[in-house]
Amino acid sequence: MTAETLSHALEVEDVDSHLHPHRSFDVADHAVPTGREEIWRFTPLKRLRGLHDDAPLDGDGVGAEADAPAGVSIELIAPDSPLRGSSGFVPSDRIAARVWAEATRAWAVTIPAEAAPEEPVVVTLTGKDSESATASHLVVSAGAHSKATLVLRFVGSGTLADNVEYVVGDGAHLTVVSIDDWDDDAVHVGHRHAKVGRDATFRHIDVSFGGDLVRHDTTAEYAGPGGEVEMLGLYFADEGQHIEHRLFVDHNAPRTRSHVSYKGALQGEGAHTVWIGNVLIRKVAEGIETYEENRNLVLTDGCQADSVPNLEIETGEIEGAGHASATGRFDDEQLFYLRSRGIEEHEARRLVVHGFFNDLIRKVGVPSLEEQLTATVEAELAKNVLREGPA
Amino acid sequence: MATLEIKDLHVQVQTEDGPKEILKGVNLTIRDGETHAIMGPNGSGKSTLAYSIAGHPKYEVTSGSVTLDGADVLAMTVDERARAGLFLAMQYPVEVPGVSVSNFLRTAKTAIDGEAPKLRTWVKDVNTAMDRVKMDTAFATRNVNEGFSGGEKKRHEIVQLELLDPKVAVLDETDSGLDIDALKIVSEGVNRFKENGDKGVLLITHYTRILRYITPDFVHVFVDGRMVEEGGPELAEELEANGYDRFVSAAV
């Protein structure tokens, strides 16, 4: 482990910055968080069911089923498989390090080079009980010049900590749609890391609706010039729900691009969302282009949306870098316009929220998934925004 | 059968210096088939009258009444007013991101009629309405008013007027910012609406040029929150020639 740690450390050359917390495979290097740390200050630790501390991770309360088109392999891998860590993933916090060390299930999805399956690979993780915590490690490898879509769906009731690695080969095009559609009592802490090959495209669409506490760290780096990362996110926090997204794009290669766009809606007492969008542009990363944005729509009183974009630039030789963050309530003029056409207030609100998300869904670019996502949003809206009552 | 009756309407808005009265006792009755033009200088309160009739929350009615066929409009919510048969074509139509024109039109039509339009005829109706104002039917898939030019927004308002078929249409400076071709197209839309039967039209405008295409039965001059003169189309010609000076100085 020491040699591996060293090699990773050399490759990564951690920049001394809070954007880039100290990374290590060794659990002992990550103290139990107190909640005062920059990376933990927004998270209600008490509701993590000990994942951040020492709660056992050997449960099997979250089962996995996969459906893969011909040619795509799905297999269990040994704890010492070289696939693990092949994305350059190094745990940046205690939970990720614990999953690395203790995951009882490690498996791999492999898309061969130049394969272009028409149907998506669908992996469903179903929680059956939330008593015991499950840890899982998945490595997804997209071979050079392959083109594929992977859908990760989380449903049921469970406590899950998982690491997912994406290795996107040169010229490959991988689209991942991750949907947290948990029951109300689920806790999910996920770490996702992608290494994007030369001229490759990695698109990550993260949809989080269900669960009591969902926290995703999604990070990306490049293995060569010309790579492109698009991260889209869509979340809806109801009463008492905590949804946190921490993103980090490490522009460590020239002429790479990244585009991050997350949109969320909040409703009900204690609904809390957190979005941290970090981008680092290293000295070598000349000619890159990056844009990140987060928009939150606050539907009722009693909600809190934290939104923090960070951009750290070590070279001025770039094409463009920008970010935007906006959190607001319903636009009264939009509601007035719709209502002046006879549309009742609750229906007008539903339309505005629908539109807010629809704008993002249209960017997914996979028609069958767009329909599915629209249906998921509609179901969520039917449960909540459609509900009549005081505005 | 449609009569919109406005009696002694007083309306105020909240400003940093406290409430400010904008409408100072407006009286106006629009009967079946009548087209009334309200003309006035900037800041006279013309748009406030339009938005007050539609029920915009910014405008607070302090006294007076507005009735549509005897029903108390002021007691209705914004959407109830529209369902009762009032329509406001706005000077600055609002963008609604992510909501397609076709979804918007269908939702509005369903709300107004109380039932979903028949799919078979609806698509044709929408296409016809768009064709008539020379709007490419591709606009149906675009987001409501997003990225539309000023003229396209106004034409979209007329499409809605045709499809929603209200009893009384209030057009708030629908002519402003239009070139002559767009002005003709929009005017033709309003004239088609008038020909549909017993419709009332309240045309609010700053300029007389739209009155060359839409002939009003009555012209009202509006200054400082109230009507100061009423006449026929000839009053518009006088305004064209002499401007508002006579009325503004009289009001001061």
Side-chain angles (χ1 to χ4, degrees):
Chain A
M1 188 64 91
T2 319
E4 197 180 2
T5 309
L6 185 65
S7 75
H8 276 289
L10 284 173
E11 189 181 323
V12 172
E13 299 161 35
D14 275 5
V15 168
D16 188 21
S17 155
H18 74 275
L19 299 191
H20 217 233
H22 177 65
R23 311 202 289 175
S24 167
F25 289 98
D26 190 351
V27 176
D29 286 344
H30 301 280
V32 177
T34 62
R36 286 188 293 275
E37 300 80 0
E38 177 60 33
I39 62 167
W40 290 108
R41 68 189 177 101
F42 293 108
T43 313
L45 297 178
K46 271 188 231 159
R47 284 155 61 186
L48 278 173
R49 297 182 184 152
L51 292 175
H52 63 297
D53 195 343
D54 287 312
L57 293 178
D58 57 355
D60 58 358
V62 180
E65 280 171 33
D67 188 7
V72 174
S73 81
I74 299 186
E75 58 190 344
L76 290 171
I77 54 174
D80 61 351
S81 163
L83 281 173
R84 288 190 0 132
S86 56
S87 70
F89 174 72
V90 183
S92 57
D93 65 40
R94 185 173 174 89
I95 296 178
R98 292 192 64 212
V99 173
W100 180 271
E102 298 174 43
T104 46
R105 183 173 62 218
W107 43 314
V109 172
T110 306
I111 299 142
E114 295 183 28
E118 297 223 335
E119 295 299 310
V121 184
V122 180
V123 176
T124 306
L125 287 96
T126 307
K128 297 174 198 80
D129 82 88
S130 50
E131 299 280 304
S132 60
T134 304
S136 130
H137 188 136
L138 172 64
V139 182
V140 179
S141 307
H145 304 293
S146 64
K147 186 170 200 280
T149 299
L150 169 76
V151 179
L152 279 179
R153 190 180 273 279
F154 302 91
V155 294
S157 168
T159 304
L160 176 70
D162 68 340
N163 295 342
V164 182
E165 298 187 65
Y166 297 103
V167 184
V168 188
D170 291 349
H173 196 292
L174 179 65
T175 297
V176 175
V177 181
S178 169
I179 305 171
D180 274 57
D181 200 9
W182 298 103
D183 291 346
D184 288 345
D185 63 344
V187 169
H188 180 199
V189 177
H191 290 78
R192 286 88 181 86
H193 182 72
K195 180 182 265 184
V196 180
R198 184 185 176 103
D199 301 325
T201 300
F202 176 63
R203 306 183 71 226
H204 190 265
I205 297 122
D206 201 342
V207 181
S208 19
F209 282 155
D212 174 63
L213 189 160
V214 170
R215 176 179 153 131
H216 290 176
D217 277 64
T218 308
T219 58
E221 63 180 283
Y222 299 86
E228 179 159 354
V229 168
E230 182 170 39
M231 292 179 180
L232 304 178
L234 202 152
Y235 50 88
F236 197 120
D238 297 325
E239 190 175 345
Q241 221 181 342
H242 178 91
I243 297 178
E244 179 164 351
H245 288 284
R246 312 184 68 90
L247 309 162
F248 177 50
V249 179
D250 188 346
H251 278 280
N252 58 343
R255 296 187 306 283
T256 49
R257 288 184 299 279
S258 66
H259 182 92
V260 176
S261 178
Y262 273 60
K263 282 186 154 187
L266 298 85
Q267 170 170 280
E269 195 65 34
H272 187 198
T273 65
V274 180
W275 181 85
I276 311 289
N278 292 334
V279 172
L280 171 63
I281 303 168
R282 293 176 187 259
K283 276 201 187 66
V284 297
E286 295 188 351
I288 69 103
E289 201 179 324
T290 178
Y291 187 74
E292 47 173 344
E293 64 169 335
N294 175 226
R295 308 215 175 263
N296 294 298
L297 188 55
V298 178
L299 305 179
T300 65
D301 290 334
C303 311
Q304 187 180 337
D306 289 296
S307 179
V308 187
N310 291 306
L311 191 52
E312 192 160 306
I313 306 179
E314 298 187 323
T315 173
E317 302 296 315
I318 58 174
E319 288 290 317
H323 59 218
S325 165
T327 297
R329 290 181 171 271
F330 273 114
D331 183 327
D332 287 341
E333 296 304 322
Q334 284 179 7
L335 290 179
F336 175 72
Y337 188 69
L338 295 171
R339 295 183 67 196
S340 76
R341 277 20 177 179
I343 300 168
E344 281 182 48
E345 185 171 8
H346 77 277
E347 177 70 6
R349 286 173 182 270
R350 195 194 62 82
L351 260 185
V352 169
V353 181
H354 166 93
F356 176 73
F357 284 132
N358 201 35
D359 242 9
L360 194 88
I361 291 174
R362 282 189 200 163
K363 291 184 186 150
V364 171
V366 185
S368 60
L369 286 173
E370 286 180 14
E371 275 171 39
Q372 213 176 88
L373 288 176
T374 304
T376 309
V377 169
E378 289 302 321
E380 186 71 21
L381 295 185
K383 255 193 300 184
N384 299 293
V385 180
L386 256 185
R387 205 169 53 194
E388 293 197 50
Chain B
M1 169 69 201
T3 302
L4 181 70
E5 199 166 11
I6 300 167
K7 280 188 189 159
D8 194 29
L9 189 67
H10 290 254
V11 171
Q12 65 180 26
V13 295
Q14 295 300 326
T15 69
E16 283 175 11
D17 307 324
K20 179 169 189 266
E21 186 167 60
I22 310 279
L23 299 188
K24 300 169 180 173
V26 177
N27 291 290
L28 177 67
T29 301
I30 301 173
R31 294 184 186 82
D32 291 4
E34 290 179 356
T35 297
H36 292 246
I38 292 186
M39 306 197 58
N42 288 328
S44 57
K46 304 186 300 286
S47 285
T48 297
L49 177 61
Y51 279 94
S52 301
I53 294 169
H56 193 288
K58 186 177 150 196
Y59 303 99
E60 188 188 337
V61 175
T62 50
S63 67
S65 68
V66 179
T67 57
L68 180 65
D69 294 336
D72 183 359
V73 169
L74 298 179
M76 300 177 193
T77 62
V78 175
D79 42 288
E80 282 168 351
R81 294 178 196 205
R83 293 198 296 277
L86 289 172
F87 179 87
L88 170 62
M90 295 188 199
Q91 188 180 357
Y92 302 108
V94 180
E95 299 183 1
V96 190
V99 176
S100 70
V101 166
S102 78
N103 186 8
F104 166 64
L105 294 175
R106 195 179 54 247
T107 307
K109 184 66 177 170
T110 304
I112 296 282
D113 289 2
E115 60 177 1
K118 293 201 170 50
L119 199 63
R120 196 160 40 84
T121 50
W122 175 245
V123 176
K124 201 171 132 247
D125 290 348
V126 171
N127 288 343
T128 306
M130 292 180 104
D131 274 350
R132 281 175 163 175
V133 297
K134 300 195 165 54
M135 249 182 125
D136 193 318
T137 49
F139 274 94
T141 60
R142 300 212 4 213
N143 292 339
V144 172
N145 294 324
E146 203 176 61
F148 288 23
S149 70
E152 286 160 353
K153 285 181 181 172
K154 298 297 174 67
R155 290 185 220 186
H156 182 217
E157 296 290 282
I158 299 304
V159 167
Q160 295 168 51
L161 174 68
E162 294 211 26
L163 291 170
L164 301 181
D165 195 30
K167 291 178 183 169
V168 176
V170 179
L171 304 160
D172 184 19
E173 302 206 21
T174 298
D175 53 331
S176 65
L178 294 184
D179 63 29
I180 193 72
D181 290 335
L183 182 67
K184 280 183 189 168
I185 288 169
V186 162
S187 300
E188 283 163 13
V190 175
N191 287 330
R192 275 194 302 276
F193 169 73
K194 285 171 60 176
E195 286 159 16
N196 266 350
D198 308 329
K199 307 294 188 185
V201 174
L202 178 58
L203 191 64
I204 293 172
T205 180
H206 183 74
Y207 307 101
T208 52
R209 61 176 189 153
I210 195 171
L211 303 182
R212 288 178 218 148
Y213 304 102
I214 304 171
T215 313
D217 302 298
F218 303 91
V219 174
H220 310 265
V221 181
F222 202 77
V223 176
D224 193 28
R226 57 171 74 89
M227 310 287 191
V228 294
E229 186 143 331
E230 184 187 310
E234 74 287 348
L235 184 53
E237 281 157 32
E238 191 207 323
L239 288 169
E240 169 96 5
N242 304 326
Y244 294 109
D245 287 358
R246 172 163 78 87
F247 304 101
V248 175
S249 43
V252 172

